[in-house]
C-alpha cells in the first residue's frame, strides 16, 4: 500500500493558501527543482506509483516533502540536484526565443545544438528582430531573481534609429511614455554616435515589458533599425561571435548571484542519471 508523507506544516496547504516555511515543497515541485523533469511530468510519474520518498512510494502529487533532507527515487533510481549550468548566446536576428515554434521558424535552441540544452531555459527574452546577449540556465532560482522587478537588474541595449534624436526625446524616454495603457520607462537613454541620416543610441532598462524599446520609439515617431542587447547586469556580450555560445565563468556567475542578492554559488550537486519521464 502506498504511503503519503505529511511533514509538519507551518502554513496552510489548501490551493491558493500559504506554503509551509523552510524547504518544504510539493513533490512535483521538488522533482522540478532537482532538475529531473517538469512539474507536469512529475505528477504523471507520482500518480503512476514510480516515485518514492525516503523509501516509501508516494502516489499523491499534492504531498509535501522536505527538499533538502528527503531522499527521492524514480523507478528505484536515486535522484539528486542537477549540476547548475550557465551559458550566454549572441543571439542572431531572426530567431525566436522559444524551444519549439508552431510556425516552424528557427529558434535560439538551434544555436545550442553542441551542448546538452534539454533543461536550459532562457533568462527573459529577445524578440525575433532583436540581437545580442541572451542568458540560459537551469538555475530557476537565479533566473527568477534576475527577472524580479525588485532586483532592478539593468540591461543595456545599443539601438540604431532612423534619425538623430534630440535631448528632449531622450528625456521623454526617461520620464516615461504611456503606450497601450502601460507606462514604459528607460533608466537612461543617450546618444552614442551619429551619421548623416541615422544614429546609435544607448538605452538601459530595469523592467521587462514586451517590445519595450521599440514601443517607446514608435510612440515618438522613431523607427528602430537594429536593437542589440550588450549587457545583462554586469555580464557583457563582448566579442562573442554572432550565433556563438559560451559558458559563463565562475566570476560572472558570482556577479549575477550578487546582483540578484543570492548568497550561495548555486553549484549544488552533480548531474543525475534520469529515466524517461513517461
Amino acid at each position: 500500500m502506498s504511503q503519503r508523507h505529511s511533514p509538519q506544516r507551518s502554513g496552510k496547504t489548501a490551493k491558493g493558501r500559504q506554503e509551509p516555511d523552510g524547504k518544504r515543497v510539493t513533490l512535483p515541485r521538488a522533482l522540478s527543482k532537482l532538475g529531473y523533469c517538469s512539474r507536469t511530468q512529475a505528477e504523471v510519474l507520482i500518480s503512476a506509483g514510480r516515485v518514492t520518498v525516503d523509501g516509501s512510494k508516494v502516489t499523491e502529487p499534492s504531498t509535501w516533502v522536505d527538499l533538502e533532507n528527503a531522499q527521492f527515487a524514480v523507478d528505484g533510481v536515486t535522484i539528486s540536484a542537477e549540476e547548475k549550468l550557465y551559458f550566454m548566446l549572441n543571439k542572431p536576428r531572426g530567431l525566436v526565443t522559444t524551444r519549439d515554434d508552431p510556425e516552424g521558424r528557427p529558434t535560439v535552441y538551434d544555436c545550442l545544438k553542441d551542448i546538452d540544452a534539454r533543461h536550459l531555459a532562457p533568462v527573459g527574452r529577445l524578440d525575433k528582430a532583436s540581437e545580442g546577449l541572451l542568458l540560459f540556465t537551469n538555475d530557476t532560482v537565479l533566473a527568477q531573481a534576475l527577472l524580479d522587478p525588485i532586483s532592478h537588474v539593468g540591461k543595456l541595449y545599443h539601438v540604431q534609429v532612423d534619425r538623430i534624436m534630440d535631448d528632449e526625446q531622450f528625456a521623454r524616454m526617461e520620464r516615461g511614455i504611456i503606450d497601450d495603457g502601460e507606462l514604459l520607462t528607460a533608466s537612461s537613454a543617450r546618444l552614442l554616435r551619429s551619421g548623416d541620416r541615422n544614429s546609435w543610441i544607448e538605452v538601459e532598462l530595469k523592467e521587462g515589458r514586451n517590445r519595450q524599446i521599440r514601443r517607446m520609439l514608435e510612440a515618438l515617431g522613431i523607427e528602430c533599425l537594429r536593437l542589440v542587447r550588450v549587457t545583462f547586469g554586469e555580464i557583457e556580450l563582448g566579442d562573442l561571435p554572432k550565433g556563438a555560445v559560451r559558458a559563463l565563468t565562475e566570476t560572472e556567475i558570482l556577479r549575477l548571484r550578487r546582483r540578484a542578492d543570492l548568497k550561495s554559488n548555486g553549484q549544488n550537486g552533480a548531474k543525475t542519471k534520469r529515466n524517461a519521464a513517461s
Side-chain angles (χ1 to χ4, degrees):
M1 181 180 295
S2 66
Q3 299 179 22
R4 286 189 59 182
H5 282 248
S6 300
Q8 195 68 28
R9 300 170 184 173
S10 59
K12 298 176 182 179
T13 59
K15 188 174 182 180
R17 299 182 184 177
Q18 273 187 328
E19 292 187 3
D21 295 334
K23 293 296 182 179
R24 297 194 186 281
V25 297
T26 60
L27 183 52
R29 185 167 177 79
L31 297 185
S32 174
K33 279 185 167 293
L34 290 171
Y36 185 84
C37 60
S38 71
R39 275 184 269 183
T40 300
Q41 291 171 325
E43 290 173 359
V44 173
L45 291 171
I46 296 163
S47 298
R50 296 171 60 183
V51 180
T52 61
V53 181
D54 293 334
S56 298
K57 185 185 294 185
V58 179
T59 59
E60 177 51 61
S62 62
T63 301
W64 291 91
V65 296
D66 187 327
L67 179 61
E68 290 191 335
N69 299 312
Q71 293 185 344
F72 306 94
V74 176
D75 295 333
V77 179
T78 300
I79 60 175
S80 57
E82 184 178 51
E83 178 187 7
K84 299 303 185 222
L85 303 174
Y86 310 85
F87 291 90
M88 62 184 294
L89 163 70
N90 185 350
K91 176 191 175 297
R93 188 171 184 170
L95 302 184
V96 292
T97 307
T98 184
R99 185 177 295 274
D100 300 300
D101 183 64
E103 299 179 28
R105 296 172 295 180
T107 79
V108 291
Y109 283 89
D110 294 334
C111 299
L112 276 61
K113 291 179 178 178
D114 293 334
I115 62 176
D116 184 357
R118 287 175 295 173
H119 299 286
L120 293 177
V123 182
R125 291 177 176 270
L126 286 174
D127 64 40
K128 180 182 176 183
S130 299
E131 313 165 46
L133 178 56
L134 186 61
L135 299 178
F136 287 83
T137 185
N138 58 356
D139 187 341
T140 57
V141 174
L142 176 60
Q144 291 170 3
L146 289 172
L147 297 175
D148 192 326
I150 296 176
S151 299
H152 297 294
V153 178
K155 293 168 280 290
L156 206 61
Y157 300 82
H158 288 177
V159 186
Q160 186 182 31
V161 296
D162 67 344
R163 66 195 62 194
I164 313 299
M165 292 178 60
D166 57 38
D167 291 342
E168 176 55 28
Q169 290 170 322
F170 289 129
R172 285 192 61 189
M173 294 180 71
E174 293 175 352
R175 288 197 303 267
I177 295 172
I178 296 178
D179 179 69
D180 197 23
E182 286 187 297
L183 178 62
L184 308 176
T185 305
S187 300
S188 64
R190 69 182 184 92
L191 179 68
L192 279 177
R193 58 184 182 274
S194 61
D196 294 334
R197 297 183 178 179
N198 56 58
S199 62
W200 282 87
I201 66 173
E202 182 178 81
V203 181
E204 182 183 36
L205 300 181
K206 290 185 179 179
E207 56 184 355
R209 312 277 185 173
N210 182 43
R211 299 182 67 253
Q212 182 167 341
I213 294 176
R214 296 180 188 278
R215 290 165 60 192
M216 296 174 76
L217 292 173
E218 288 170 3
L220 295 172
I222 299 170
E223 182 181 358
C224 175
L225 303 178
R226 285 185 66 189
L227 190 152
V228 185
R229 182 192 285 163
V230 295
T231 72
F232 193 122
E234 297 179 23
I235 308 303
E236 298 182 356
L237 179 62
D239 57 1
L240 186 67
K242 191 77 66 181
V245 180
R246 73 164 175 84
L248 297 188
T249 67
E250 290 295 330
T251 299
E252 289 172 328
I253 296 168
L254 182 59
R255 286 175 178 171
L256 282 176
R257 298 190 69 81
R258 286 176 174 169
R259 190 66 188 81
D261 199 24
L262 297 175
K263 295 180 181 179
S264 63
N265 62 16
Q267 302 297 325
N268 56 339
K271 289 184 178 179
T272 179
K273 181 179 179 180
R274 292 185 291 272
N275 293 331
S278 60

